[in-house]
Structures are given as structure tokens and as C-alpha cells.
Amino acid sequence: MSSRFLYIIFISFALFSCKSKVSVDGNLKSANFISLKTHQTSYDFTQPKLFELERSLEEISGLTYDSIEKVLWTHNDEEGVIFKLNPKNGKVLDKVSFAKSGDYEGITLYQDQIVIVNSAGNLFFYDPKTQETQKIKTDLGKRNNVEGLTYDTHQNVLLLACKGEPIDYDKDYPHKAIYSFDLSSNKLDAKPYMKISEEALMNYLAKELESQKMSDKQKDNLEKRLKAFAPSGIEIHPESRDIYIISARGGTLAIFDTDKQIKQLIFLDKKALPQAEGISFDADHLYISSEMKGIGGRILKFKRP
């Protein structure tokens, strides 16, 4: 065991602070995830399983689970390559090129196709059978900086989460936007599917902090982290249909209910997940991927309690 892990000190400053020391057989040795809710969360953050990925996935980005093949699909940020991963250990089962190099940020499944989005809002529909890719441009661009992608089976739309400016940018109303792309008409709705305002996030946090026994410095730290919120990944829970949105900036996970209201905030362990980019679910687990500069990417796997 590396000596740098032996001297890590974790400070609890919330009603619910998950800490764990996991065995060294490829699992995470320690973790600290913080939720301000007193009720039991949907997943057990005390014992995450760790998958260290190969060097080619150093800049792992989007993540999606394939319930048919029972595999994970992912890609890296800069190369037009899709990776098929074993969800039990993170090992690469296959890889395929779908497009030239670019800034690819999210991945999802639609029918029998794999869909990838780049930061400029272009969608790439890859057909594994024909090995052909169809590119579709949306009305989003680089200033919108698309980072997350998921498929909403109930509405037959793709949801695109933007880290940058919304289309209806308003300096007096700071917010991030999620847009929907109709797969029947292949058109993007310019009206946001969902707005995440800085005011709503901070008001929610302030209310939760009222009952917390922590120092002003600790509260300021959480406020600073949340104020940096900018979506880097999005997924819809297969059962509750809650919308899970992660932010690499500040290291947070925001959960919204079906009415698009904030349901829960979880502050991620920034040592374990320094740059959380992808999120997905299988029937029993939550997966979050993170870039790991210089050593290859990683995935943390959380089980239902």
C-alpha cells in the first residue's frame, strides 16, 4: 500500500459523510462522499468498486450501459474511438473508430445505434452492423459547450447538457441548460428542456446547511464548489426517472426529480473522482467515470444498499 494513502485524514462536516477503506485487490482504498440529506441515498457510497482503466482512456469522457449486451460503452475526449468495457472489471473488450479526432463529450444508445456528441453539439450516430457513422448538426455550438448526452426512452428525445452558455444567454440570470433533440424530426428544441439556475442551487444548499453543524469555512467550501456547477454528464435513472447530472467543476452530483426540481446534492470525493465526466446505471449499480491525467482513466461503481 502506498504511504501517501496511509496518512490521508478525512474530516466529516455533514450529517451524512461516507468514508471507506476498500481492499487493495483493484478497489478504491479510501473515499469521502458527502450528502446533506439524512435519509438513505439510493446507492451505497461507502464501498465503491474501482476500475483503473488502460492508458488510452486517460481522458475518458461519456459513459453508457448496454442492457442487451450487458457492457459499458465509453470513449475518450480527443479520439473518435468507442470502447466496449466489461462492467465487472473495466477491461476493454473491443474498440472501434467511428469518426476522426475531435472533442467528444457524451455517449448514449438509441435503438441499435451508438450516439456520441461533441462539444460543438454535433451528433454522431454509429451503426455497429454497417460500421457507418451519420453526422447530424444541431443548433448548438462551441459557446454552448455540450458535455453530456442521454436518451430519454419515454419521450424519444436525446438530452444534451451544456457546460457553456445557454442559447438564451442572460447575464442577469446565470444558469445552465439542458436541451432536447427530437429523434422523429431530427430537430433541436431551442427552448431549454431544463434550466439549472445558480440561484436555485444556492437556495437549496442554504436551506440544507441550516441544520448542519459545521464551521463557516466548511460551509463556504461547499458553497464555492456548488457555485462552480457546470454539467459534465447526464443520465436518467431507469426506475425513478430522476435526472442525475454530474459536474466536474466543484465535484458535485445533482439529482432532480421528474418535475425537474432539486431532490438531492452529493459532493463527490475529488481525490477519487478529480474530473467526473460520465455517468450511467445498470439494474443494480451507478457508474461514474473520471479522467486521471497521466495514469489512465477510472470508473467508480456504486451498489444499491
Side-chain angles (χ1 to χ4, degrees), residues 207-264:
K207 183 178 179 180
E208 291 298 317
L209 289 178
E210 289 178 355
S211 60
Q212 306 301 312
K213 294 181 179 179
M214 62 178 72
S215 68
D216 289 341
K217 183 178 180 180
Q218 291 166 341
K219 290 182 179 180
D220 289 344
N221 176 61
L222 293 186
E223 290 172 355
K224 182 179 179 180
R225 289 178 63 176
L226 187 59
K227 196 166 186 178
F229 188 90
S232 58
I234 182 172
E235 188 62 285
I236 299 173
H237 194 279
E239 293 181 6
S240 68
R241 298 208 28 90
D242 288 340
I243 303 171
Y244 283 58
I245 300 176
I246 53 172
S247 171
R249 293 181 184 175
T252 51
L253 166 60
I255 303 173
F256 298 81
D257 61 25
T258 53
D259 293 322
K260 304 171 188 176
Q261 300 300 308
I262 304 173
K263 184 176 182 178
Q264 188 171 4

Side-chain angles (χ1 to χ4, degrees), residues 31-298:
N32 182 21
F33 292 82
I34 302 162
S35 171
L36 300 178
K37 289 289 189 182
T38 57
H39 64 71
Q40 180 66 50
T41 57
S42 300
Y43 293 90
D44 183 1
F45 288 90
T46 66
Q47 297 183 17
K49 191 168 182 63
L50 168 66
F51 301 151
E52 297 286 13
L53 307 176
E54 63 178 51
R55 189 63 178 268
S56 60
L57 283 168
E58 173 183 344
E59 294 194 31
I60 187 173
S61 196
L63 191 68
T64 191
Y65 181 75
D66 186 334
S67 60
I68 303 299
E69 291 197 41
K70 300 193 183 306
V71 297
L72 289 166
W73 294 100
T74 189
H75 60 94
N76 60 21
D77 197 334
E78 298 179 349
E79 299 178 359
V81 178
I82 301 168
F83 295 78
K84 180 194 288 189
L85 306 181
N86 186 331
K88 295 182 179 179
N89 53 27
K91 299 297 182 182
V92 175
L93 301 174
D94 195 11
K95 61 180 73 173
V96 62
S97 176
F98 71 91
K100 63 182 182 180
S101 298
D103 187 14
Y104 301 105
E105 298 294 348
I107 187 170
T108 192
L109 300 176
Y110 166 60
Q111 296 181 349
D112 56 354
Q113 300 178 82
I114 302 172
V115 189
I116 301 93
V117 68
N118 66 10
S119 58
N122 297 316
L123 295 165
F124 299 80
F125 291 78
Y126 175 75
D127 188 332
K129 293 180 180 179
T130 64
Q131 299 184 349
E132 294 180 350
T133 301
Q134 178 186 10
K135 178 181 176 180
I136 297 178
K137 293 184 177 181
T138 70
D139 293 328
L140 297 171
K142 291 184 178 180
R143 75 180 183 89
N144 308 117
N145 200 354
V146 179
E147 283 274 326
L149 178 71
T150 191
Y151 173 54
D152 185 341
T153 58
H154 285 55
Q155 301 183 69
N156 195 38
V157 299
L158 296 173
L159 298 182
L160 292 80
C162 295
K163 183 172 73 173
E165 296 177 1
I167 293 175
D168 59 341
Y169 174 72
D170 182 351
K171 66 178 181 179
D172 296 324
Y173 179 64
H175 67 281
K176 300 301 180 183
I178 312 298
Y179 293 93
S180 64
F181 180 85
D182 191 319
L183 288 160
S184 299
S185 62
N186 280 348
K187 290 184 179 180
L188 183 87
D189 188 345
K191 180 181 178 181
Y193 171 83
M194 177 178 174
K195 290 184 178 182
I196 306 171
S197 73
E198 181 180 303
E199 181 182 15
L201 289 171
M202 300 310 294
N203 286 344
Y204 180 90
L205 179 62
K207 183 178 179 180
E208 291 298 317
L209 289 178
E210 289 178 355
S211 60
Q212 306 301 312
K213 294 181 179 179
M214 62 178 72
S215 68
D216 289 341
K217 183 178 180 180
Q218 291 166 341
K219 290 182 179 180
D220 289 344
N221 176 61
L222 293 186
E223 290 172 355
K224 182 179 179 180
R225 289 178 63 176
L226 187 59
K227 196 166 186 178
F229 188 90
S232 58
I234 182 172
E235 188 62 285
I236 299 173
H237 194 279
E239 293 181 6
S240 68
R241 298 208 28 90
D242 288 340
I243 303 171
Y244 283 58
I245 300 176
I246 53 172
S247 171
R249 293 181 184 175
T252 51
L253 166 60
I255 303 173
F256 298 81
D257 61 25
T258 53
D259 293 322
K260 304 171 188 176
Q261 300 300 308
I262 304 173
K263 184 176 182 178
Q264 188 171 4
L265 288 174
I266 295 173
F267 292 86
L268 306 176
D269 184 329
K270 292 194 290 184
K271 288 186 174 69
L273 295 167
Q275 191 167 337
E277 296 278 346
I279 181 169
S280 194
F281 304 94
D282 65 20
D284 300 306
H285 304 92
L286 162 67
Y287 301 85
I288 299 178
S289 60
S290 176
E291 292 186 12
M292 298 292 291
K293 300 296 184 183
I295 60 173
R298 67 168 37 164

